[in-house]
Amino acid sequence: MTNEQKALMDVKKDVLKLWNRKEVLSNALVKRMLDLTAKNIDGVTKKYKLDNQESLRLAESIENYVFSIIEEKIYEELDDISTEAMKISLAEQFGMKLSEEKAKLREALLGIKEWLELIDVDNCRKICTWIKNFILEQLQPN
């Protein structure tokens, strides 16, 4: 195992320790994960004496790893939100006014969008676009 691979494993372990707290995904947790990751990359770079190229590859690998953890949680929440939106849509077809419930779903989606804005990964743009379109198509007030 190369020093770069050992460094990657060290940082992944620390990220998982934080994630295993079973906290609800929030801006604070995402920011803590990113801050911890940045701090750990610096530490393991020194510990394993990585050169600039190895350090850059490590940072990119870790950023993608953190995003994959967050992305999994985001897709779970998006699935729940779209299910709720479908229920609201059906209820509205029967004359119920559910603007308050729509507003809650909009807020949840905007919260997810804020988490994504903390991370600079191409996949974030795709999810942000989905959120914007979903709000426009499904969650407009009555």
Side-chain angles (χ1 to χ4, degrees):
M1 188 180 283
T2 67
N3 280 348
E4 189 177 341
Q5 290 169 325
K6 290 176 188 173
L8 181 62
M9 294 306 292
D10 282 1
V11 178
K12 281 184 172 183
K13 284 181 206 170
D14 286 339
V15 169
L16 283 178
K17 283 179 196 171
L18 181 62
W19 187 250
N20 285 336
R21 291 184 183 169
K22 302 292 185 205
E23 287 184 62
V24 172
L25 191 60
S26 66
N27 280 356
L29 178 59
V30 171
K31 183 160 179 16
R32 244 187 357 264
M33 287 176 75
L34 295 173
D35 290 347
L36 171 76
T37 302
K39 188 187 306 181
N40 283 354
I41 288 172
D42 185 49
V44 297
T45 295
K46 290 174 185 167
K47 177 180 175 182
Y48 291 104
K49 297 177 175 85
L50 302 179
D51 63 28
N52 284 344
Q53 278 304 104
E54 291 170 323
S55 183
L56 287 173
R57 283 194 304 266
L58 175 68
E60 186 178 322
S61 294
I62 291 300
E63 182 180 65
N64 288 332
Y65 178 69
V66 169
F67 180 73
S68 70
I69 292 171
I70 294 168
E71 181 182 33
E72 185 177 318
K73 180 65 174 168
I74 287 171
Y75 278 120
E76 288 173 16
E77 293 199 21
L78 290 176
D79 187 48
D80 291 346
I81 288 169
S82 62
T83 300
E84 285 302 309
M86 195 169 36
K87 290 177 186 175
I88 289 169
S89 178
L90 286 171
E92 286 181 336
Q93 289 176 12
F94 291 102
M96 297 177 76
K97 298 289 184 201
L98 300 170
S99 295
E100 196 172 307
E101 286 76 7
K102 281 183 170 182
K104 288 177 188 174
L105 292 182
R106 270 195 308 277
E107 288 304 312
L109 285 171
L110 293 174
I112 291 171
K113 190 170 175 273
E114 284 179 27
W115 306 333
L116 294 170
E117 289 168 350
L118 292 173
I119 306 167
D120 186 23
V121 176
D122 286 341
N123 289 339
C124 295
R125 285 190 272 290
K126 292 178 199 168
I127 298 173
C128 286
T129 300
W130 185 92
I131 289 170
K132 187 176 104 182
N133 291 338
F134 192 83
I135 289 173
L136 289 173
E137 294 168 8
Q138 302 292 324
L139 298 175
Q140 290 304 310
N142 296 340

